[in-house]
Short mmCIF file of all heavy atoms in Angstrom, two decimals:
data_model
loop_
_atom_site.label_atom_id
_atom_site.label_comp_id
_atom_site.label_asym_id
_atom_site.label_seq_id
_atom_site.Cartn_x
_atom_site.Cartn_y
_atom_site.Cartn_z
N THR A 516 99.29 81.23 158.12
CA THR A 516 98.96 80.89 159.50
C THR A 516 100.02 81.48 160.42
O THR A 516 101.22 81.24 160.24
CB THR A 516 98.90 79.37 159.69
OG1 THR A 516 97.92 78.83 158.80
CG2 THR A 516 98.55 79.01 161.12
N GLY A 517 99.57 82.23 161.40
CA GLY A 517 100.50 82.86 162.31
C GLY A 517 100.92 81.94 163.45
O GLY A 517 100.18 81.06 163.87
N PHE A 518 102.14 82.15 163.93
CA PHE A 518 102.64 81.45 165.12
C PHE A 518 103.58 82.38 165.87
O PHE A 518 103.92 83.46 165.38
CB PHE A 518 103.32 80.13 164.75
CG PHE A 518 104.53 80.28 163.87
CD1 PHE A 518 105.80 80.45 164.41
CD2 PHE A 518 104.42 80.22 162.48
CE1 PHE A 518 106.92 80.58 163.61
CE2 PHE A 518 105.53 80.35 161.67
CZ PHE A 518 106.78 80.53 162.23
N GLY A 519 104.00 81.96 167.04
CA GLY A 519 104.83 82.83 167.85
C GLY A 519 103.99 83.89 168.53
O GLY A 519 102.85 83.63 168.94
N ALA A 520 104.52 85.09 168.61
CA ALA A 520 103.83 86.17 169.31
C ALA A 520 102.90 86.93 168.38
O ALA A 520 103.17 87.09 167.19
CB ALA A 520 104.85 87.12 169.91
N GLU A 521 101.80 87.40 168.92
CA GLU A 521 100.90 88.26 168.17
C GLU A 521 101.48 89.66 168.12
O GLU A 521 102.10 90.13 169.07
CB GLU A 521 99.53 88.28 168.84
CG GLU A 521 98.45 88.99 168.05
CD GLU A 521 97.07 88.84 168.65
OE1 GLU A 521 96.88 87.89 169.44
OE2 GLU A 521 96.18 89.66 168.33
N GLY A 522 101.31 90.33 166.97
CA GLY A 522 101.82 91.68 166.85
C GLY A 522 102.30 92.01 165.46
O GLY A 522 102.03 91.28 164.50
N ILE A 523 103.02 93.12 165.35
CA ILE A 523 103.48 93.64 164.06
C ILE A 523 104.98 93.86 164.10
O ILE A 523 105.50 94.44 165.05
CB ILE A 523 102.78 94.97 163.73
CG1 ILE A 523 101.25 94.79 163.70
CG2 ILE A 523 103.27 95.52 162.39
CD1 ILE A 523 100.50 96.11 163.58
N VAL A 524 105.68 93.41 163.04
CA VAL A 524 107.10 93.71 162.89
C VAL A 524 107.35 94.15 161.45
O VAL A 524 106.60 93.79 160.53
CB VAL A 524 108.01 92.51 163.23
CG1 VAL A 524 107.93 92.16 164.70
CG2 VAL A 524 107.68 91.30 162.37
N THR A 525 108.40 94.93 161.27
CA THR A 525 108.81 95.35 159.93
C THR A 525 110.29 95.06 159.74
O THR A 525 111.04 94.95 160.71
CB THR A 525 108.56 96.86 159.73
OG1 THR A 525 109.26 97.59 160.74
CG2 THR A 525 107.07 97.17 159.80
N GLY A 526 110.71 94.97 158.50
CA GLY A 526 112.12 94.72 158.20
C GLY A 526 112.29 94.30 156.76
O GLY A 526 111.32 94.00 156.06
N GLU A 527 113.52 94.26 156.31
CA GLU A 527 113.81 93.69 155.00
C GLU A 527 113.44 92.22 155.00
O GLU A 527 113.76 91.50 155.95
CB GLU A 527 115.31 93.80 154.68
CG GLU A 527 115.79 95.14 154.21
CD GLU A 527 117.21 95.06 153.69
OE1 GLU A 527 117.98 94.19 154.14
OE2 GLU A 527 117.57 95.87 152.84
N LEU A 528 112.78 91.75 153.94
CA LEU A 528 112.54 90.33 153.79
C LEU A 528 113.74 89.72 153.08
O LEU A 528 114.03 90.07 151.93
CB LEU A 528 111.27 90.06 152.99
CG LEU A 528 110.96 88.58 152.74
CD1 LEU A 528 110.61 87.86 154.04
CD2 LEU A 528 109.82 88.42 151.73
N VAL A 529 114.48 88.84 153.78
CA VAL A 529 115.67 88.22 153.19
C VAL A 529 115.54 86.71 153.26
O VAL A 529 114.89 86.18 154.16
CB VAL A 529 116.95 88.67 153.91
CG1 VAL A 529 117.17 90.17 153.75
CG2 VAL A 529 116.92 88.30 155.38
N PHE A 530 116.13 86.04 152.30
CA PHE A 530 116.04 84.58 152.28
C PHE A 530 117.41 83.94 152.52
O PHE A 530 118.44 84.49 152.14
CB PHE A 530 115.43 84.07 150.97
CG PHE A 530 116.30 84.29 149.75
CD1 PHE A 530 117.28 83.37 149.38
CD2 PHE A 530 116.12 85.41 148.94
CE1 PHE A 530 118.06 83.57 148.24
CE2 PHE A 530 116.90 85.62 147.81
CZ PHE A 530 117.87 84.69 147.47
N THR A 531 117.39 82.79 153.18
CA THR A 531 118.60 82.00 153.38
C THR A 531 118.36 80.60 152.81
O THR A 531 117.27 80.05 152.94
CB THR A 531 118.99 81.91 154.86
OG1 THR A 531 120.15 81.10 155.00
CG2 THR A 531 117.88 81.35 155.72
N THR A 532 119.39 80.04 152.19
CA THR A 532 119.25 78.76 151.51
C THR A 532 119.63 77.57 152.38
O THR A 532 119.57 76.43 151.91
CB THR A 532 120.13 78.74 150.24
OG1 THR A 532 121.49 79.03 150.61
CG2 THR A 532 119.65 79.77 149.24
N GLN A 533 120.01 77.80 153.62
CA GLN A 533 120.39 76.68 154.47
C GLN A 533 119.17 75.86 154.86
O GLN A 533 118.06 76.37 154.97
CB GLN A 533 121.09 77.20 155.73
CG GLN A 533 120.18 78.02 156.63
CD GLN A 533 120.95 78.87 157.60
OE1 GLN A 533 121.61 79.82 157.21
NE2 GLN A 533 120.85 78.55 158.87
N TYR A 534 119.36 74.56 155.08
CA TYR A 534 118.23 73.71 155.48
C TYR A 534 118.41 73.16 156.88
O TYR A 534 117.53 72.48 157.41
CB TYR A 534 118.00 72.58 154.48
CG TYR A 534 119.19 71.70 154.19
CD1 TYR A 534 119.42 70.56 154.94
CD2 TYR A 534 120.06 72.01 153.16
CE1 TYR A 534 120.51 69.75 154.68
CE2 TYR A 534 121.16 71.20 152.89
CZ TYR A 534 121.37 70.07 153.65
OH TYR A 534 122.46 69.27 153.39
N THR A 535 119.54 73.42 157.51
CA THR A 535 119.73 73.20 158.95
C THR A 535 120.30 74.49 159.52
O THR A 535 120.67 75.40 158.78
CB THR A 535 120.70 72.03 159.24
OG1 THR A 535 121.99 72.35 158.68
CG2 THR A 535 120.19 70.73 158.64
N GLY A 536 120.40 74.54 160.85
CA GLY A 536 120.98 75.72 161.46
C GLY A 536 120.00 76.86 161.64
O GLY A 536 120.42 78.02 161.70
N TYR A 537 118.72 76.55 161.76
CA TYR A 537 117.75 77.63 161.94
C TYR A 537 117.89 78.29 163.31
O TYR A 537 117.62 79.48 163.47
CB TYR A 537 116.31 77.15 161.72
CG TYR A 537 115.93 75.86 162.42
CD1 TYR A 537 115.59 75.83 163.77
CD2 TYR A 537 115.90 74.67 161.71
CE1 TYR A 537 115.25 74.65 164.40
CE2 TYR A 537 115.54 73.48 162.32
CZ TYR A 537 115.22 73.47 163.67
OH TYR A 537 114.87 72.29 164.29
N GLU A 538 118.36 77.54 164.32
CA GLU A 538 118.61 78.16 165.63
C GLU A 538 119.71 79.22 165.52
O GLU A 538 119.58 80.33 166.04
CB GLU A 538 119.04 77.11 166.64
CG GLU A 538 117.96 76.21 167.15
CD GLU A 538 118.47 75.29 168.25
OE1 GLU A 538 118.56 75.74 169.39
OE2 GLU A 538 118.79 74.12 167.94
N GLU A 539 120.82 78.85 164.86
CA GLU A 539 121.94 79.77 164.72
C GLU A 539 121.54 81.00 163.91
O GLU A 539 121.92 82.13 164.25
CB GLU A 539 123.11 79.07 164.04
CG GLU A 539 123.72 77.94 164.84
CD GLU A 539 123.16 76.58 164.47
OE1 GLU A 539 121.94 76.49 164.19
OE2 GLU A 539 123.92 75.59 164.46
N ALA A 540 120.79 80.79 162.83
CA ALA A 540 120.41 81.91 161.98
C ALA A 540 119.48 82.88 162.70
O ALA A 540 119.70 84.10 162.68
CB ALA A 540 119.74 81.39 160.71
N LEU A 541 118.47 82.36 163.34
CA LEU A 541 117.50 83.23 164.02
C LEU A 541 118.13 84.04 165.15
O LEU A 541 117.69 85.15 165.43
CB LEU A 541 116.35 82.39 164.57
CG LEU A 541 115.34 81.89 163.54
CD1 LEU A 541 114.45 80.80 164.14
CD2 LEU A 541 114.49 83.04 163.01
N THR A 542 119.16 83.50 165.78
CA THR A 542 119.80 84.20 166.90
C THR A 542 121.05 84.97 166.48
O THR A 542 121.73 85.55 167.33
CB THR A 542 120.17 83.20 168.02
OG1 THR A 542 121.04 82.18 167.48
CG2 THR A 542 118.93 82.53 168.58
N ASP A 543 121.36 85.01 165.20
CA ASP A 543 122.49 85.77 164.68
C ASP A 543 122.14 87.26 164.68
O ASP A 543 121.19 87.67 164.01
CB ASP A 543 122.81 85.30 163.26
CG ASP A 543 124.01 86.00 162.65
OD1 ASP A 543 124.47 87.02 163.20
OD2 ASP A 543 124.48 85.53 161.59
N PRO A 544 122.87 88.10 165.42
CA PRO A 544 122.56 89.53 165.45
C PRO A 544 122.63 90.22 164.10
O PRO A 544 122.10 91.32 163.95
CB PRO A 544 123.61 90.09 166.42
CG PRO A 544 123.98 88.94 167.29
CD PRO A 544 123.95 87.75 166.39
#
């Protein structure tokens, strides 16, 4: 199920094991 903006993005798929701090992770350059 899609959310956010419609469109296409590409990139390495990487995983993070943290269960809090999603704001910090998503905005980390």
